[in-house]
Amino acid sequence: MSSHGIRDRVAIVGMGCTTFGEHWTRSADDLLIDAVGEAVTSAGITLDDIDAFWLGTQASGVSGLTLSRPLHLQYKPVTRLENMCATGSEALRNACYAVASGAYDVAMAVGVEKLKDSGMSGLSGTTMPGAGDDSRGEITAPANFSLLAPAYAAKYGLSEEELKDVITRIAWKNHVNGARNPRAQYRKEVPLERIRSAPIVAGMLGVFDCSGVSDGSAAAIVVRAEDAYKYTDRPIFVKALSFVAGPADGLLDPEYDFTTFPEVVASAQEAYRQAGVTDPRAEIALAEVHDCFTPTELVLMEDLGFSERGQAWKDVTSGAFDLDGSLPVNPDGGLKAFGHPIGASGLRMMFEAWLQLRGEAPPERTVRTLAEGRSLALTHNLGGGPGECVSFVSVVGNQLTD
């Protein structure tokens, strides 16, 4: 890949994040105002100090006016963008590269989505552009991602009962973490047996194997690294930003076996190259990943290099990715506990990295790996489905590289 990266050239100095949930009485404007307000307060600046804005949303606005109107911005550049479920991460990536280029001193990335009163359902079919030859059939997201589970079980010799236990534990873990997070949509632990016996949605996926639908917003303020300490005494520095789009030919490729996302593998390898990470399982303190469905998280553990091929199910079962495990994954509860307001999810993931790396996560869900000397966090966000997706991986840290 040709990216030179921007390691340690930009820093995040302020962030904000609303609660995610069923905000029936609040508009997208209200959510944007809250997230942006928290971000600028945390950085000790005003909106006038921000040079440019990138707004990520899929369905809550069609231009920069979606942000400039509620914030009463005075003739500032506002770029609205969308990249499927990775939209929030794409807003952050654009803001970071704009600052790194020298075009702006201070930039903001914002993500928002208002889904609960839009009529959109998490079980609705999504139509993606195909090859124009009617080779693509209509399929719901749960049905699409459910294909990962039996494929993984067959390839690595698990019975469907054993695989069901593994994905059940993933859902259980993320609900345990979400129960400790006041910003999460679902804040209750759910017993393993209740998860396992929940009504089936698609394949072997039950209700608790699927992320919910929610409203939410999150925002980040980005400056050059050399300016970071003007705004905060605890900035987090961007080590890597990797975004790839695949050829979308997996569903037509007889070799594709539904046990990997090649786009995730490519974006992770590029992110590690940029950040200088050689052993992610040992060097990363925590990871926020795109657990839209429980088998997605299982497969991602191998694609991101956290587990060897065919071994992630054992690591899940052993508790390696639990809050007190050797590499905590989704310590905030993930999409499973937050739901997935599309434009906001990527920035919500970064907000958790912000809290943890700054020592601001509450004690009951502060990861122990930070106390052991690790200083890096990873976020992963994908859009699309098995065999055809875009993938984003970031690595951030609370220290500059020597």
Side-chain angles (χ1 to χ4, degrees):
M1 299 180 71
S2 60
S3 172
H4 299 294
I6 55 170
R7 183 180 182 183
D8 286 334
R9 290 170 57 186
V10 300
I12 299 173
V13 296
M15 287 206 73
C17 183
T18 68
T19 57
F20 281 30
E22 299 181 346
H23 293 300
W24 299 106
T25 62
R26 306 182 68 215
S27 67
D29 286 1
D30 295 327
L31 297 171
L32 284 169
I33 289 168
D34 286 353
V36 169
E38 183 179 0
V40 296
T41 298
S42 70
I45 63 176
T46 69
L47 286 175
D48 288 341
D49 297 316
I50 300 172
D51 300 318
F53 300 77
W54 276 262
L55 169 66
T57 188
Q58 184 182 60
S60 296
V62 295
S63 76
L65 296 176
T66 305
L67 185 67
S68 66
R69 183 185 297 112
L71 297 185
H72 301 290
L73 298 179
Q74 298 299 309
Y75 309 104
K76 298 290 184 79
V78 182
T79 302
R80 179 262 180 186
L81 51 78
E82 177 271 327
N83 215 333
M84 295 196 292
C85 295
T87 292
S89 295
E90 184 74 318
L92 178 65
R93 186 175 74 100
N94 277 264
C96 287
Y97 275 102
V99 169
S101 75
Y104 300 108
D105 296 326
V106 185
M108 174 176 278
V110 193
V112 70
E113 215 70 66
K114 189 78 176 70
L115 300 177
K116 291 304 294 186
D117 51 3
S118 68
M120 180 176 178
S121 168
L123 300 182
S124 63
T126 53
T127 301
M128 296 169 59
D133 58 2
D134 295 325
S135 60
R136 176 189 302 285
E138 291 285 333
I139 187 171
T140 66
N144 197 10
F145 283 86
S146 75
L147 300 174
L148 299 172
Y152 188 95
K155 183 170 184 176
Y156 297 117
L158 283 74
S159 69
E160 288 200 2
E161 287 296 305
E162 290 173 316
L163 199 282
K164 181 69 173 178
D165 287 339
V166 173
I167 63 175
T168 294
R169 198 183 189 288
I170 290 171
W172 171 82
K173 167 186 70 75
N174 290 345
H175 277 292
V176 166
N177 295 347
R180 290 154 174 76
N181 194 331
R183 297 178 195 257
Q185 179 177 21
Y186 305 114
R187 298 193 290 273
K188 291 184 179 179
E189 296 187 26
V190 185
L192 283 164
E193 185 51 39
R194 185 180 178 196
I195 296 171
R196 200 180 196 287
S197 61
I200 292 296
V201 176
M204 68 173 68
L205 302 188
V207 170
F208 290 102
D209 292 299
C210 309
S211 62
V213 179
S214 61
D215 305 328
S217 181
I221 297 170
V222 180
V223 304
R224 286 188 295 271
E226 59 265 32
D227 296 332
Y229 289 101
K230 298 177 183 177
Y231 301 90
T232 178
D233 59 352
R234 290 173 294 168
I236 63 174
F237 300 97
V238 174
K239 308 293 183 178
L241 298 168
S242 175
F243 201 105
V244 305
D249 58 5
L251 300 184
L252 302 175
D253 182 356
E255 299 299 317
Y256 182 65
D257 66 1
F258 286 86
T259 66
T260 181
F261 297 90
E263 299 87 347
V264 175
V265 176
S267 58
Q269 290 176 349
E270 171 62 10
Y272 297 148
R273 185 190 67 79
Q274 291 179 17
V277 170
T278 57
D279 185 354
R281 177 72 176 262
E283 295 176 59
I284 302 294
L286 66 137
E288 285 286 314
V289 308
H290 196 96
D291 60 316
C292 50
F293 301 94
T294 51
T296 311
E297 181 170 324
L298 174 65
V299 169
L300 291 175
M301 296 304 92
E302 297 179 9
D303 283 348
L304 292 168
F306 299 159
S307 296
E308 296 295 327
R309 289 291 171 189
Q311 300 300 306
W313 70 274
K314 296 179 182 179
D315 290 335
V316 168
T317 303
S318 72
F321 305 126
D322 290 359
L323 197 60
D324 60 353
S326 58
L327 175 50
V329 173
N330 291 333
D332 68 349
L335 275 70
K336 187 69 207 68
F338 269 83
H340 182 27
I342 298 160
S345 287
L347 283 159
R348 184 270 302 162
M349 296 174 184
M350 187 59 70
F351 184 75
E352 178 65 10
W354 164 265
L355 291 179
Q356 293 280 359
L357 292 176
R358 285 166 54 91
E360 294 179 345
E364 61 269 22
R365 62 180 187 83
T366 296
V367 299
R368 66 176 177 83
T369 48
L370 291 168
E372 295 170 354
R374 300 188 210 178
S375 61
L376 299 176
L378 176 146
T379 72
H380 165 263
N381 202 196
L382 68 79
E388 47 180 2
C389 72
V390 297
S391 175
F392 170 87
V393 175
S394 79
V395 179
V396 296
N398 57 16
Q399 300 173 19
L400 284 170
T401 304
D402 294 332

PDB file of all heavy atoms in Angstrom, residues 73 299 338:
ATOM      1  N   LEU A  73     -22.949  28.126  12.754  1.00  0.00           N
ATOM      2  CA  LEU A  73     -21.576  28.360  12.317  1.00  0.00           C
ATOM      3  C   LEU A  73     -21.524  29.527  11.347  1.00  0.00           C
ATOM      4  O   LEU A  73     -22.392  29.678  10.481  1.00  0.00           O
ATOM      5  CB  LEU A  73     -21.018  27.109  11.634  1.00  0.00           C
ATOM      6  CG  LEU A  73     -20.920  25.857  12.512  1.00  0.00           C
ATOM      7  CD1 LEU A  73     -20.377  24.690  11.700  1.00  0.00           C
ATOM      8  CD2 LEU A  73     -20.043  26.106  13.736  1.00  0.00           C
ATOM      9  N   VAL A 299     -14.690 -13.390  14.216  1.00  0.00           N
ATOM     10  CA  VAL A 299     -13.833 -13.393  13.027  1.00  0.00           C
ATOM     11  C   VAL A 299     -12.827 -12.239  13.084  1.00  0.00           C
ATOM     12  O   VAL A 299     -11.657 -12.391  12.692  1.00  0.00           O
ATOM     13  CB  VAL A 299     -14.696 -13.316  11.754  1.00  0.00           C
ATOM     14  CG1 VAL A 299     -13.838 -13.048  10.525  1.00  0.00           C
ATOM     15  CG2 VAL A 299     -15.485 -14.615  11.577  1.00  0.00           C
ATOM     16  N   PHE A 338     -24.378  -0.458  22.801  1.00  0.00           N
ATOM     17  CA  PHE A 338     -24.696   0.916  22.414  1.00  0.00           C
ATOM     18  C   PHE A 338     -25.747   0.999  21.316  1.00  0.00           C
ATOM     19  O   PHE A 338     -26.387   2.035  21.155  1.00  0.00           O
ATOM     20  CB  PHE A 338     -23.429   1.630  21.921  1.00  0.00           C
ATOM     21  CG  PHE A 338     -22.676   2.342  23.008  1.00  0.00           C
ATOM     22  CD1 PHE A 338     -21.800   1.649  23.822  1.00  0.00           C
ATOM     23  CD2 PHE A 338     -22.849   3.701  23.225  1.00  0.00           C
ATOM     24  CE1 PHE A 338     -21.104   2.293  24.825  1.00  0.00           C
ATOM     25  CE2 PHE A 338     -22.162   4.358  24.233  1.00  0.00           C
ATOM     26  CZ  PHE A 338     -21.281   3.654  25.045  1.00  0.00           C
TER      27      PHE A 338
END
